[in-house]
Amino acid sequence: MTGQPHIIIAAGGTGGHMFPAQALSDALLRKGWRVTLSTDARGARYTGGYSHAVEIRQVSSATFTRGGILAKLVVPFRIFGGVVTASLRMWREKPDVVVGFGGYPTIPALSAAVITGRPRMLHEQNGVLGRVNALFAKRVAHVACGTWPTEVPEGVDAVHTGNPVRAGIVERSGAPYTPPGDWPMSLLVFGGSQGARILSDMVPAAVALLPEETRQHLRISQQAREEDVDRVRAAYDEMGIRAEIETFLNDMPNRLAEAQLIICRSGASSVADISIVGRPAIYVPLAIAVRDEQSANARAPVDAGAAVLMPESRLTPESLSETIQTILSQPQAATMMANAALSVAVPDATQRLVALVENLAQKPGAQEG
C-alpha cells in the first residue's frame, strides 16, 4: 500500500446499511484515506450526512423483491451491467480494500473485487447474514459482525466488531441511570424508521392497565406513523398522561439517556444504541422478517438480563403491561438490567472496523478470486 490508500465502500439502500458505512467512511477520511461510496439511487438518498470528500458513485443494480414480472426479468441484466462497469473501473484504480455492507447495490462492487482480486471484506449488521452478504461470505477475507454471535457458513472468518453508532450515542455511553421510583419516569417507544403500528396499538392499551400509582409518574415519548399519531395522543390524553407523540423523535441520544425503560423493535442499530447508553428494554422483533434477524439481534442483551423479548405472537396489552410493571416496580432489578446492557455494548465498534480494514490493506499481494 503506497501513497494515499483508497477504499471502496459498497452499501445498499437502507439506513441499516448506509449509517455504519458512513461511520467507517468518516473515520477513514480522518486518517487520510480516499473514500468512494458505491450505491444505487435509493442508497444515494441516505448520503446527506456523508462528507463532501466522499466520492458517491451510483451503480446499476436491482432487487428481485420489488416490482412486477417485467421488472424482475431485467434484474440480471442491470446487475451484469453494473458488474462490468465496476470491474473495468477497479482494474484501473486498484483500490486497497473493498468493503460491502449488504443490500443488492453492493453486488457490482463486490463482484468486481472478486474478479479483479482486490482485498475485500463484509460488515453484517444483523445476527443473521443478509442475502447478498451470504452470497459473498466465502469469497471475502473477513465478515465483520455487528451482532454477536452471527450465524455464518462454516469456514468463514467472522470477527466481532460491533455496529458503529452515531457520535452522539457514543458521547452518552454509560450515562448514569436513574432507577424507576416515585418521581417522573420516562418511557421511550419507537419502532423503525416509520414507527410500528403494533406498538401504537399495544403500548397505550398496556399503559391503561398499569396501576394508577405507576401511571401517575409516567412521561411517554412515542414514535408513531402519521396516521396513528392523533389516536395514540388521544389515548394518553384520556389517561391524563403527559406524552409526546411524533412521527420522528429528535435528539435520540438524550431521550435514551433519560429513559427508565425503552420499548422498541430490535433492529441492529437500536440494540447497539440502547446497549451503549445502557438501558432496560422490551424488544418486539419484526414478525415478518424472513430470517428472523431481529430476534437474533436481541439475543445477547436478553441472555445478559438486559432486556425482555416479546414476540408479536405473544404480545397482548395484558402481557406487555405486566412486563412494564415488573420492571418499573423493581428499581434495583431495573438498575441491574441497565448495567447488563452495558456489558454487551461495543462503543469502539468503528475503531475495530477501521483496524480490520487497515490490517487487510497492509497484507501483501492481492486476494485471489
Side-chain angles (χ1 to χ4, degrees):
M1 185 173 64
T2 58
Q4 183 185 31
H6 179 204
I7 184 171
I8 294 179
I9 295 174
T14 68
H17 299 136
M18 298 294 287
F19 296 146
Q22 180 184 336
L24 177 61
S25 73
D26 288 345
L28 289 176
L29 284 172
R30 288 193 295 270
K31 294 174 77 72
W33 281 63
R34 172 190 169 195
V35 178
T36 300
L37 174 69
S38 177
T39 188
D40 65 352
R42 185 163 166 250
R45 295 182 302 180
Y46 290 88
T47 60
Y50 278 69
S51 167
H52 294 300
V54 176
E55 179 187 355
I56 310 294
R57 288 181 187 166
Q58 289 193 34
V59 296
S60 175
S61 188
T63 172
F64 289 97
T65 61
R66 293 187 184 85
I69 295 176
L70 288 176
K72 289 179 171 62
L73 286 174
V74 302
V75 167
F77 300 99
R78 292 187 62 187
I79 292 176
F80 178 74
V83 170
V84 170
T85 301
S87 297
L88 292 172
R89 248 181 157 156
M90 213 166 282
W91 277 116
R92 294 195 306 268
E93 295 182 341
K94 295 181 172 53
D96 295 279
V97 181
V98 178
V99 182
F101 280 82
Y104 279 88
T106 67
I107 292 177
L110 283 173
S111 297
V114 172
I115 292 168
T116 61
R118 303 315 300 164
R120 54 198 177 272
M121 56 177 277
L122 298 171
H123 178 273
E124 174 57 56
Q125 187 185 35
N126 296 298
V128 180
L129 290 179
R131 292 185 185 91
V132 174
N133 280 355
L135 180 66
F136 287 97
K138 291 189 174 183
R139 308 299 298 276
V140 299
H142 315 290
V143 175
C145 301
T147 299
W148 196 257
T150 296
E151 301 170 18
V152 299
E154 188 176 350
V156 170
D157 182 41
V159 181
H160 183 206
T161 60
N163 278 312
V165 301
R166 293 161 290 175
I169 297 292
V170 175
E171 289 170 4
R172 304 313 300 265
S173 176
Y177 177 65
T178 302
D182 296 330
W183 42 76
M185 296 183 292
S186 174
L187 178 65
L188 177 60
V189 185
F190 59 93
S193 59
Q194 299 298 318
R197 171 67 55 80
I198 194 168
L199 297 184
S200 293
D201 293 339
M202 293 293 174
V203 177
V207 169
L209 297 175
L210 291 171
E212 173 59 28
E213 58 266 28
T214 299
R215 266 205 327 267
Q216 68 179 339
H217 296 297
L218 277 183
R219 305 291 183 268
I220 298 176
S221 296
Q222 182 163 347
Q223 179 194 29
R225 298 185 181 197
E226 188 172 357
E227 62 268 27
D228 296 329
V229 167
D230 289 342
R231 69 179 178 89
V232 173
R233 187 178 290 136
Y236 292 128
D237 284 346
E238 188 173 341
M239 290 180 251
I241 293 176
R242 195 175 80 190
E244 181 183 0
I245 316 300
E246 304 290 346
T247 57
F248 181 81
L249 295 174
N250 292 302
D251 198 17
M252 282 298 287
N254 282 332
R255 291 181 190 273
L256 290 170
E258 293 168 359
Q260 273 67 51
L261 176 61
I262 298 162
I263 303 173
C264 65
R265 293 295 198 192
S266 46
S269 292
S270 297
V271 173
D273 289 351
I274 292 167
S275 298
I276 285 173
V277 178
R279 294 297 178 261
I282 299 172
Y283 289 122
V284 183
L286 181 66
I288 61 172
V290 176
R291 300 174 302 281
D292 197 24
E293 61 267 23
Q294 290 207 356
S295 293
N297 295 342
R299 187 181 303 140
V302 169
D303 288 349
V308 176
L309 189 70
M310 297 199 73
E312 288 186 18
S313 60
R314 299 208 305 266
L315 186 68
T316 65
E318 291 77 15
S319 65
L320 181 57
S321 183
E322 181 180 352
T323 304
I324 295 171
Q325 178 62 17
T326 298
I327 295 171
L328 294 184
S329 64
Q330 300 184 64
Q332 187 173 358
T335 301
M336 290 176 65
M337 290 179 74
N339 291 332
L342 292 172
S343 74
V344 297
V346 188
D348 63 340
T350 301
Q351 289 82 358
R352 292 188 185 192
L353 194 55
V354 167
L356 204 59
V357 168
E358 290 183 326
N359 288 337
L360 182 57
Q362 290 165 2
K363 288 183 179 178
Q367 194 171 335
E368 292 185 4

